[in-house]
Amino acid sequence: MDYDPNLTRSMVEPIILQLISEKYCYGYEIIKVVNERTKGAFEWKEGTLYPCLHRLENEGLLNSKWDIAENGRKRKYYGITSKGKALLKVKTNEWASFATAVNALLFGNAGALPERA
Amino acid sequence: MADKNKLENFAELLTGSLKDDAELRLDVKEEIKSHLEETAEAFSAGGKSSEEAAELAIKAFGPADAISEDLLNANRRKMKTRHRVKLFFRYAIIPASVIIALLFSCFPRFSVLDITHNYFSSGDPCSLNIVHHLVNSSYINTIKPLKKLSLKISDKIFNGYYISEFITFNLFSGEDAIKEIKLAEKYEPENARYNYLLCGALLEKAVAIKCVDATDKKGGKIHEDICELKDMQFLDQAFEEFLKGLKKPYYKTYTMETIKRRLAGLPPSIHIEDNLTKIVICAGILLPDFSHLCKIAKAIPFYAEKLAEEGQKDKALQLLEARYKIIKDMEADSITLVEILFINSIAGMGEKYAEAYRKIGKPELAEKTIALGRILQDPVNKVFPRDAEGKRIYAKKEKAFEQTLRQKAGTMNGNTFSISASEGNLLSEDDLKKGCELDYIFLERITFHILLVTLTFFMLSSAITVLYFYIRQKKTLPLLLMPNWLEILKIILFGILLPTALYLAYTRFTYLSHRDFNLIFNQFRGVGEMILLAISIVFITVSLARKLVTRRCIEIGIKTKFKPSMKSEKIMYSMLAALWLSCIFLPKAWMPATVIIIGISALFFLVYALFSQWREYAVVSGAIARSIIPVYSLSIILLCLLVQPFLEMRERYLVQNDPFVIRTTDDKIGFTNIEVELVKRIKKDYEEAFRKAGL
């Protein structure tokens, strides 16, 4: 299923931060994990990942280092900084709150309306 | 192969927007290339041809133009910052470091010397010309300004100094000097000094005093001065002047007043050299009168014998008796130990005078003059005991203290140990410690200057290397790789500060690495160690920088045959360690030869290693040279702004609180505090000696 790009755009950064917070990742690996977990639901253009990673790194949310993998390939690995972790927490809560609110409105579960953060 | 080229070209296209920052562009390009290769491999594994796999990987990556634009937007701020840092280093830090290093290493501040030059150029009459002479070791330049000056009727101190200048700079017997001395006598007719000086000037023309080998009564070898007549007329004139002087009420050189006047014009000492310069200034004032008074004392018996031969016995006896007057006059005018020792040497001329008395036919006076001479030598002999033959006697305690001084006293105290050892009770443990501290701070300052010179030299060498690659690579500058701050600090810490700190700690634990007290007379070892320190610093910094740069080169895809642990590097480290160990553990006698042998071997090896691997590392050599320049420049700035003021402040404190070196107050003056005390005591003993001798 193709999603409206406007729908996913705002969540790209929190998703990347989340994946990197789980373990040190390189770009290709992130794409692979996203595809696996969403069963191909998010069809990101791979090239859009790198400007995003660089932006996050330049904002001090990620750090990076080059390493050589077992197969001899050079890869640039990204890790999350404490600033990145803090932002991820905020964004995750924000999304949870937002999703509950939208669900309540769209699916009529008025009793489950969340309190405003 | 075709697909790899395709991927490479695509990555190149994507990063085209980052072309203003070569390093960043290569970094991003390498990252994207790696991604594309992995994607293509996945497609290949799914059964696609390499060409198709590459096409699919490129397609999956997305539109080149949009991604390129996004990459630029994502990295714009970073590029700007990096560009600003580069500009800041290129136009501020690097030029500033060169200027600061040159200023500090070529023009170290010797405050007193600077001031003396200023005084000289200002033409202040009671100035410090003498220092200028001493500094330049040449009197020629200063004769001209001296001649512009003239004696002053009312300023006796200035006149005394002015005449000393003539004598000091070898113009003593010239007609000019005689004219000036006569004028000085006219301005101060009651001072015997000018008559004595005229006598000395005329004696230059009248007699030649030669030192010949002779035998004493026991057949031992001694040196003896003998007078040879050159011109009798001048000899008569000379002693006419001398006799005139004998009738004068006082003999004054105005040494104390001149020293005070000069020292008052000087700023407080900042460096050890300032204190030494002050000592030189004071010593210079004392020297002029010694040679002529010594000549007079030696010529008196000779002339007295001549007078006796001519039948002028009374005049001869009057001259021989004048020795006591010279001793008394000089003692009254003396303020320093060197003058006292000179007086003592005149008192020790008893035998020569006794011989003259005997020739005149007054044996009883001969015995008397020897006995009086001994009494007059007593005050000095009490401090520096001698046996009947005049040999110095060292007490056990004195020898032990001398040993302590050698090991613990520091250069200043140690170099005057003959005085200090005899008067050990005048030096406290605290004084000795302060003496050592002065040596340490001196060494630290020298080390600081060596560091600056080394860093500047290698910074300039790196710049020349960059220029070489710029020309070789057809006007393309080698790549500048910007290490992060932590990496720069690591190089500065491990390459520069740690070796220096270890060296200084080593010299502290071993008191200047076993150089005893006389640091300045043990320069070979010191220079060897400094060169070794400089080599160590350069080797370690370049080695660390090379590792950093080659690693970065691999990361960003510049081909290099980097090996993390190189054999040649290990050999060089071993050689450096061997050199340091030989410096630390080998006996002094072996050290120079060992250092030279290992040092030359290390140099040959280094040259061999450089040339044999030059081609292999040619790609990264330019990058190393260019990238290490900011590290060196930053180190220079850090050293000059943080370390130098601290060193300066500490040295100033130590120098100004040095308990040992010259103190001038209203009631005392001398080269050292010990000397001041000692002279005071000896002069008191002279009062007793004069009373005993009936003078």
Side-chain angles (χ1 to χ4, degrees):
Chain A
M1 182 180 176
D2 285 342
Y3 293 111
D4 179 357
N6 289 328
L7 204 60
T8 53
R9 191 171 295 139
S10 63
M11 285 314 291
V12 170
E13 288 183 2
I15 290 168
I16 292 173
L17 286 173
Q18 173 58 35
L19 294 179
I20 292 173
S21 74
E22 291 169 16
K23 72 178 185 89
Y24 270 91
C25 288
Y26 54 98
Y28 181 76
E29 191 182 14
I30 294 171
I31 296 285
K32 227 164 65 175
V33 172
V34 169
N35 284 338
E36 274 169 21
R37 288 199 193 170
T38 61
K39 296 192 173 88
F42 282 4
E43 283 186 1
W44 283 358
K45 278 289 175 198
E46 295 173 15
T48 56
L49 175 69
Y50 288 95
C52 189
L53 283 171
H54 294 173
R55 200 165 38 248
L56 292 173
E57 188 187 5
N58 292 335
E59 283 169 11
L61 303 169
L62 296 179
N63 54 32
S64 69
K65 64 168 186 182
W66 281 93
D67 214 342
I68 296 174
E70 283 171 9
N71 62 4
R73 186 178 293 287
K74 263 185 318 181
R75 283 167 184 160
K76 195 176 195 181
Y77 285 84
Y78 288 89
I80 193 163
T81 62
S82 50
K83 193 180 167 190
K85 280 178 189 165
L87 185 77
L88 176 62
K89 203 175 171 186
V90 171
K91 288 284 174 190
T92 313
N93 289 339
E94 200 178 281
W95 173 256
S97 165
F98 178 72
T100 314
V102 172
N103 285 343
L105 289 172
L106 292 181
F107 305 112
N109 189 7
L113 264 176
E115 285 177 24
R116 288 184 70 83
Chain B
M1 212 44 210
D3 55 339
K4 283 217 170 185
N5 279 341
K6 212 175 235 178
L7 298 178
E8 170 108 28
N9 290 341
F10 184 64
E12 183 93 22
L13 181 71
L14 283 174
T15 53
S17 56
L18 308 174
K19 64 180 186 307
D20 289 343
D21 191 326
E23 186 190 357
L24 184 69
R25 184 188 183 180
L26 286 169
D27 188 84
V28 176
K29 185 186 142 191
E30 203 60 18
E31 186 182 18
I32 289 173
K33 202 176 94 187
S34 168
H35 179 107
L36 289 168
E37 281 171 3
E38 290 213 38
T39 317
E41 270 172 27
F43 282 120
S44 291
K48 302 287 178 191
S49 70
S50 63
E51 194 118 347
E52 280 175 322
E55 288 289 348
L56 288 170
I58 289 170
K59 200 178 165 197
F61 206 80
D65 290 348
I67 295 169
S68 180
E69 184 68 25
D70 283 350
L71 282 172
L72 176 64
N73 288 334
N75 287 291
R76 201 187 296 275
R77 211 172 71 188
K78 187 178 185 180
M79 282 168 72
K80 268 189 185 170
T81 313
R82 282 167 59 90
H83 183 63
R84 278 180 195 147
V85 171
K86 276 183 204 172
L87 287 182
F88 181 59
F89 266 87
R90 191 178 302 159
Y91 297 112
I93 297 284
I94 295 171
S97 65
V98 174
I99 293 167
I100 289 177
L102 289 176
L103 278 177
F104 275 97
S105 48
C106 300
F107 306 103
R109 281 177 57 209
F110 298 119
S111 53
V112 172
L113 289 185
D114 290 345
I115 277 284
T116 54
H117 280 282
N118 294 340
Y119 267 72
F120 176 68
S121 50
S122 73
D124 181 338
C126 199
S127 72
L128 302 139
N129 291 343
I130 195 159
V131 180
H132 190 78
H133 294 306
L134 291 162
V135 170
N136 289 307
S137 305
S138 157
Y139 62 87
I140 298 162
N141 295 333
T142 49
I143 291 171
K144 284 177 195 166
L146 196 64
K147 278 189 174 175
K148 282 180 195 163
L149 306 174
S150 56
L151 290 159
K152 294 176 172 183
I153 298 174
S154 56
D155 195 341
K156 292 173 186 173
I157 300 167
F158 171 73
N159 291 349
Y161 162 71
Y162 177 86
I163 295 299
S164 297
E165 285 277 288
F166 268 98
I167 301 164
T168 308
F169 300 103
N170 231 3
L171 297 166
F172 181 37
S173 55
E175 288 306 319
D176 275 356
I178 290 175
K179 212 170 97 189
E180 295 293 326
I181 297 169
K182 279 185 175 167
L183 196 59
E185 191 214 352
K186 196 176 150 194
Y187 290 159
E188 196 186 356
E190 60 277 23
N191 191 350
R193 182 190 181 212
Y194 300 114
N195 300 98
Y196 294 168
L197 286 178
L198 277 173
C199 172
L202 291 164
L203 277 177
E204 282 282 315
K205 297 174 181 179
V207 286
I209 299 175
K210 286 180 182 169
C211 183
V212 293
D213 290 333
T215 48
D216 61 11
K217 284 173 190 169
K218 291 180 181 174
K221 276 190 177 178
I222 53 163
H223 295 295
E224 201 178 52
D225 290 318
I226 56 158
C227 293
E228 281 177 8
L229 185 65
K230 285 198 309 201
D231 190 316
M232 193 61 198
Q233 204 182 338
F234 279 127
L235 191 62
D236 288 334
Q237 279 178 21
F239 279 101
E240 279 311 314
E241 277 301 330
F242 179 70
L243 288 169
K244 246 161 88 183
L246 281 180
K247 290 170 195 158
K248 302 251 168 115
Y250 61 83
Y251 166 88
K252 263 187 106 57
T253 52
Y254 298 107
T255 308
M256 167 115 57
E257 291 81 351
T258 310
I259 288 177
K260 274 186 183 172
R261 214 149 146 178
R262 281 212 190 137
L263 292 182
L266 295 177
S269 299
I270 294 173
H271 297 304
I272 299 167
E273 297 90 312
D274 294 341
N275 275 350
L276 293 173
T277 308
K278 285 181 181 179
I279 289 177
V280 168
I281 292 169
C282 299
I285 294 168
L286 296 168
L287 297 174
D289 285 33
F290 287 175
S291 67
H292 72 260
L293 280 169
C294 189
K295 193 167 266 185
I296 293 169
K298 283 173 185 171
I300 284 175
F302 173 75
Y303 186 57
E305 284 170 25
K306 293 256 176 234
L307 288 175
E309 280 167 21
E310 288 169 11
Q312 301 183 59
K313 276 191 180 179
D314 289 345
K315 198 176 172 186
L317 288 171
Q318 188 192 358
L319 279 174
L320 288 170
E321 288 290 307
R323 182 165 74 117
Y324 310 123
K325 176 89 164 65
I326 294 175
I327 291 172
K328 272 199 86 173
D329 281 351
M330 281 195 77
E331 195 280 328
D333 190 58
S334 66
I335 51 167
T336 59
L337 190 65
V338 66
E339 289 170 291
I340 298 285
L341 294 176
F342 182 74
I343 294 164
N344 194 51
S345 78
I346 296 181
M349 289 179 184
E351 273 303 332
K352 271 272 169 197
Y353 280 70
E355 212 180 299
Y357 275 121
R358 283 187 207 108
K359 282 185 183 167
I360 294 168
K362 297 278 183 188
E364 70 284 3
L365 289 177
E367 293 309 312
K368 191 185 163 194
T369 202
I370 291 171
L372 285 181
R374 280 188 189 139
I375 293 170
L376 294 175
Q377 281 185 297
D378 273 349
V380 173
N381 286 352
K382 216 165 133 185
V383 182
F384 306 106
R386 289 177 186 278
D387 62 14
E389 288 167 10
K391 271 192 178 175
R392 181 87 162 79
I393 304 166
Y394 290 95
K396 260 189 184 175
K397 201 179 155 192
E398 193 178 338
K399 271 192 174 171
F401 191 67
E402 190 180 310
Q403 195 59 29
T404 311
L405 285 172
R406 277 179 186 279
Q407 290 162 353
K408 293 181 184 172
T411 308
M412 274 306 294
N413 299 355
N415 279 324
T416 52
F417 71 85
S418 57
I419 305 173
S420 317
S422 64
E423 289 301 310
N425 57 333
L426 294 175
L427 272 176
S428 69
E429 282 284 318
D430 193 43
D431 291 346
L432 293 182
K433 267 186 203 159
K434 282 180 181 169
C436 286
E437 280 300 316
L438 275 169
D439 278 9
Y440 291 138
I441 195 80
F442 181 70
L443 186 79
E444 279 157 21
R445 182 151 55 84
I446 297 282
T447 311
F448 167 77
H449 283 296
I450 296 283
L451 267 183
L452 278 191
V453 172
T454 307
L455 294 175
T456 314
F457 178 74
F458 279 93
M459 194 166 79
L460 295 176
S461 306
S462 302
I464 292 167
T465 313
V466 170
L467 195 68
Y468 166 76
F469 281 104
Y470 175 71
I471 294 164
R472 207 177 104 158
Q473 294 167 359
K474 291 168 190 165
K475 296 194 174 174
T476 313
L477 274 173
L479 188 65
L480 170 64
L481 300 172
M482 286 175 68
N484 64 38
W485 292 107
L486 274 177
E487 285 167 330
I488 291 183
L489 283 178
K490 189 178 151 190
I491 296 178
I492 294 175
L493 182 70
F494 290 103
I496 299 168
L497 298 180
L498 194 67
T500 312
L502 283 175
Y503 172 67
L504 291 176
Y506 153 66
T507 59
R508 283 214 164 207
F509 280 116
T510 55
Y511 185 56
L512 303 176
S513 59
H514 307 295
R515 275 191 231 118
D516 284 350
F517 67 91
N518 51 356
L519 174 70
I520 45 176
F521 298 116
N522 220 330
Q523 289 167 344
F524 186 79
R525 193 186 177 113
V527 169
E529 283 174 3
M530 290 293 170
I531 291 172
L532 199 51
L533 179 67
I535 290 172
S536 307
I537 285 167
V538 170
F539 179 72
I540 298 170
T541 47
V542 170
S543 167
L544 289 174
R546 197 188 62 175
K547 272 187 186 160
L548 185 73
V549 168
T550 41
R551 198 193 70 216
R552 191 79 187 113
C553 281
I554 293 169
E555 287 172 2
I556 62 177
I558 295 175
K559 281 173 191 163
T560 159
K561 292 180 181 175
F562 173 72
K563 291 170 201 158
S565 62
M566 280 180 54
K567 205 175 164 189
S568 58
E569 199 166 75
K570 280 182 183 169
I571 295 173
M572 278 305 293
Y573 271 117
S574 312
M575 281 184 163
L576 267 185
L579 279 169
W580 276 114
L581 289 174
S582 63
C583 257
I584 296 168
F585 293 113
L586 280 182
K588 265 185 201 173
W590 291 16
M591 202 277 279
T594 318
V595 168
I596 288 169
I597 292 167
I598 304 178
I600 290 174
S601 321
L603 197 69
F604 271 113
F605 184 78
L606 186 68
V607 171
Y608 165 76
L610 276 176
F611 276 93
S612 64
Q613 295 171 0
W614 183 250
R615 283 180 184 280
E616 203 171 304
Y617 288 98
V619 188
V620 288
S621 294
I624 294 173
R626 198 171 167 203
S627 306
I628 207 168
I629 292 175
V631 178
Y632 282 147
S633 61
L634 202 64
S635 312
I636 290 170
I637 301 252
L638 283 176
L639 279 174
C640 292
L641 297 184
L642 298 178
V643 181
Q644 206 276 339
F646 172 74
L647 283 180
E648 178 117 0
M649 204 171 69
R650 197 160 154 263
E651 186 173 4
R652 190 185 299 228
Y653 171 79
L654 286 170
V655 166
Q656 287 175 8
N657 290 285
D658 180 8
F660 195 76
V661 179
I662 188 153
R663 288 284 176 275
T664 310
T665 59
D666 285 342
D667 63 332
K668 65 176 184 179
I669 195 161
F671 295 164
T672 65
N673 278 345
I674 292 181
E675 186 185 337
V676 169
E677 293 301 317
L678 204 58
V679 169
K680 209 188 271 179
R681 197 185 302 172
I682 294 173
K683 280 176 84 80
K684 212 172 175 189
D685 288 341
Y686 264 120
E687 282 175 26
E688 173 67 16
F690 287 144
R691 199 185 49 76
K692 239 165 116 178
L695 298 173

